[in-house]
């Protein structure tokens, strides 16, 4: 599975019960990267995506994910699925929010290496940083 996670400067994923990841340019980038591969998420995330792209929605999407599937993770912990994770796409908002859900998966400790960094302009932020971490 390829985990896709959006975080602030202190690894927050949500703040005050609200999503951090709402940005149309990020969604377009993710759809482009998927290239037709399976994109999985829970019902919390589904409302962000247009109906024309094939999204697989399930509350157990991380358990169901297979090799090569993209999993858009906004409000859950990927740590229990460590063995399934091939790659992590980490999107950094370059801001600090008062987060209530944090990304706690220790990438380097688990053998992931930063392979690429790409910056692009979002619809909600001047700069979004994409980090690609692979085993």
């Amino acid at each position: 599975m390829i985990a896709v996670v959006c975080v602030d400067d202190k690894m927050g994923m949500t703040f005050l019960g609200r999503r951090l990841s709402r940005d149309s340019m990020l969604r377009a980038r993710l759809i482009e990267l998927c290239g037709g591969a399976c994109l999985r998420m829970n019902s919390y995330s589904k409302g962000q995506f247009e109906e024309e792209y094939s999204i697989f929605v399930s509350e157990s999407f991380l358990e169901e994910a297979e090799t090569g599937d993209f999993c858009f993770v906004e409000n859950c912990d990927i740590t229990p699925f460590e063995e399934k994770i091939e790659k992590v796409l980490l999107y950094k908002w370059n801001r600090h929010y008062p987060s209530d859900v944090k990304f706690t998966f220790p990438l380097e400790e688990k053998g992931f290496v930063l392979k690429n960094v790409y910056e692009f302009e979002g619809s909600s932020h001047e700069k979004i940083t994409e980090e690609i971490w692979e085993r």
Side-chain angles (χ1 to χ4, degrees), residues 35-119:
C38 182
L39 176 56
R40 297 181 182 274
M41 63 192 65
N42 59 18
S43 58
Y44 177 81
S45 300
K46 172 62 176 132
Q48 288 200 64
F49 291 84
E50 300 295 327
E51 293 298 323
E52 60 263 8
Y53 190 80
S54 183
I55 305 287
F56 296 86
V57 179
S58 171
E59 298 314 305
S60 53
F61 72 110
L62 294 169
E63 292 96 344
E64 297 164 2
E66 298 178 10
T67 301
D69 288 353
F70 286 77
C71 293
F72 189 66
V73 181
E74 289 189 280
N75 61 352
C76 45
D77 183 13
I78 65 172
T79 305
F81 309 98
E82 172 187 341
E83 296 304 316
K84 296 175 84 169
I85 302 169
E86 312 153 52
K87 186 185 295 187
V88 176
L89 303 179
L90 197 59
Y91 290 93
K92 295 186 170 183
W93 251 236
N94 303 301
R95 296 215 176 124
H96 175 68
Y97 296 105
S99 59
D100 44 16
V101 175
K102 299 246 187 216
F103 180 71
T104 59
F105 187 74
L107 290 162
E108 291 176 336
E109 181 181 310
K110 297 297 182 180
F112 285 82
V113 176
L114 180 60
K115 294 288 188 174
N116 192 36
V117 177
Y118 170 71
E119 292 182 346

